[in-house]
Amino acid sequence: MAQYQQYYGAVMPLRLFTILVCLCFALPSAQAATQLVVYTAIEPELLPLYTKAFEEENPDISLHWVRDSAGNILAKLLAERNAPKADVVFGLSLNALMRLSDEAMLEPYITQGLEAVSPQMQDTAEEPVWTALNAWGGAMCVNTEELQRRNLPVPAAWNDLAKPKYKGAISMASPLSSSTALLNVNGWLQLWGEKKAWKFMQALNKNIASYPNHGCQPCQMAAKGEIAIGIAAETCVNVMDNKPAALQIIQPGEGIGWDFETAALLKNSAHPEEAKALIDFAVSPQAADIAIEFGFIPSLAAKQTAASKRTLSLFLPIDPEKAGAAREAILKEWGKRFGN
């Protein structure tokens, strides 16, 4: 220090020089935020909202999103299991997440604030591995102008979609890549049983114009008038900007398939404490408000609205664990029958 004082002595007092030297060493660590690698299937429109809400409360953590459809995210995680790149999953369907649980790829964690979550949206295992952000259910996205142009009636029930007059008027994502498509398949299997449900899907297949990869694409196609009916979810319409007045949501009264968006800590996460902070955020009022804004059903019981309770009343009695265990068999059967 003496040599520096001798050099700077004419222009800088020792105390001031010492403070500046300390600041030079302190600033880099104070400014550097930990980057958390988050794998997600959340719609792109929502990611900036989650980022802003979380990082305002956690300025020392920076979120790096890796987004794709649920099936692709699951495949990516399985492929990387021996050399993990993600710290945490946030916004992956419970059905897909159950595969990671079966493969022992998740670290148990009891979320802070779990007591405020609806009981039906909690992991009841002795060592819970997932936390629900929200729930969503299947629906038809119907372009009434396009139906009128094709001289077709507005469908009211799932079975209507299997009628030959709707040939070429319907789009649905492939359940091989889309959790939204798979939740509808699970709903039909629950509603009618395997034999009748596969018979329905065989008839529906004859009417399908395309099977895109992403769950909300059918609703986007219906909004543009490219097809008349998209099989997807109510939330797909709610996230749209400038959605046309002709686009209607129909949730058939006989019941709908559903799933949860979940968060979970991955084993061997490079930043487990920061990952836990994001999982805790999943059950925060801020996360619940984002869910409500876009038509999801928030996991926080106190935040559920009349509209979300109505949608909940249409949920079919699907067991998430059984559905998760049957996932591979269902997808194999789908691929064998339809190849998409």
Side-chain angles (χ1 to χ4, degrees):
M1 181 65 74
Q3 61 178 328
Y4 291 112
Q5 183 187 7
Q6 182 179 6
Y7 181 78
Y8 288 104
V11 293
M12 185 178 298
L14 175 60
R15 180 176 294 179
L16 177 58
F17 173 78
T18 303
I19 292 171
L20 289 175
V21 170
C22 291
L23 284 174
C24 287
F25 283 102
L27 281 174
S29 59
Q31 290 174 342
T34 300
Q35 187 178 80
L36 199 64
V37 179
V38 188
Y39 280 16
T40 185
I42 289 173
E43 290 302 309
E45 296 88 345
L46 277 66
L47 294 181
L49 302 179
Y50 282 118
T51 299
K52 183 175 185 292
F54 176 77
E55 291 185 358
E56 281 181 351
E57 296 295 321
N58 300 272
D60 56 336
I61 304 174
S62 172
L63 300 180
H64 174 70
W65 301 101
V66 177
R67 194 217 168 261
D68 208 329
S69 60
N72 292 344
I73 287 291
L74 176 59
K76 187 174 177 67
L77 285 164
L78 291 169
E80 296 172 355
R81 64 181 304 167
N82 295 322
K85 297 178 181 177
D87 294 303
V88 62
V89 291
F90 184 93
L92 185 66
S93 75
L94 178 58
N95 188 280
L97 196 78
M98 295 308 296
R99 173 70 188 280
L100 300 178
S101 179
D102 292 341
E103 296 289 334
M105 293 173 62
L106 303 179
E107 192 71 41
Y109 176 60
I110 299 175
T111 308
Q112 301 300 306
L114 192 62
E115 65 280 357
V117 172
S118 295
Q120 67 268 38
M121 296 177 73
Q122 292 187 24
D123 184 352
T124 57
E126 187 174 339
E127 292 189 313
V129 295
W130 58 265
T131 299
L133 286 80
N134 55 60
W136 82 106
M140 307 175 198
C141 307
V142 176
N143 187 319
T144 55
E145 288 182 357
E146 185 61 20
L147 282 173
Q148 188 174 19
R149 190 185 72 79
R150 298 183 187 217
N151 197 28
L152 291 171
V154 175
W158 292 120
N159 267 324
D160 290 343
L161 302 182
K163 295 176 181 177
K165 60 188 173 186
Y166 289 105
K167 184 176 178 64
I170 304 171
S171 178
M172 170 183 166
S174 168
L176 300 178
S177 61
S178 165
S179 59
T180 301
L182 184 56
L183 74 81
N184 282 307
V185 172
N186 283 331
W188 300 328
L189 288 167
Q190 176 67 45
L191 185 61
W192 297 311
E194 287 195 31
K195 185 176 180 180
K196 187 175 178 181
W198 286 112
K199 184 178 179 181
F200 162 77
M201 286 184 268
Q202 202 76 46
L204 174 65
N205 180 62
K206 296 177 182 178
N207 294 341
I208 296 289
S210 65
Y211 288 105
N213 288 328
H214 297 290
C216 284
Q217 275 184 263
C219 283
Q220 293 161 0
M221 294 166 67
K224 295 174 184 176
E226 296 173 357
I227 47 98
I229 302 166
I231 301 174
E234 177 184 13
T235 52
C236 294
V237 176
N238 294 325
V239 301
M240 286 183 188
D241 292 326
N242 304 315
K243 51 183 174 282
L247 194 67
Q248 293 186 5
I249 298 166
I250 296 175
Q251 292 178 307
E254 64 262 48
I256 57 176
W258 53 273
D259 207 337
F260 298 157
E261 282 192 327
T262 57
L265 176 62
L266 293 166
K267 280 191 175 177
N268 302 315
S269 168
H271 305 290
E273 295 309 311
E274 290 83 358
K276 289 174 184 177
L278 182 60
I279 295 170
D280 293 343
F281 170 75
V283 298
S284 68
Q286 297 96 317
D289 288 340
I290 294 170
I292 292 166
E293 182 180 353
F294 291 94
F296 289 88
I297 299 168
S299 60
L300 288 186
K303 287 281 189 175
Q304 290 177 5
T305 64
S308 65
K309 289 176 182 177
R310 178 193 171 277
T311 299
L312 274 173
S313 72
L314 294 173
F315 280 13
L316 291 162
I318 298 169
D319 184 320
E321 290 193 9
K322 289 181 179 178
R327 176 188 177 90
E328 296 306 313
I330 292 169
L331 295 180
K332 184 177 180 180
E333 182 67 21
W334 176 277
K336 185 174 73 173
R337 288 174 181 261
F338 311 121
N340 299 100

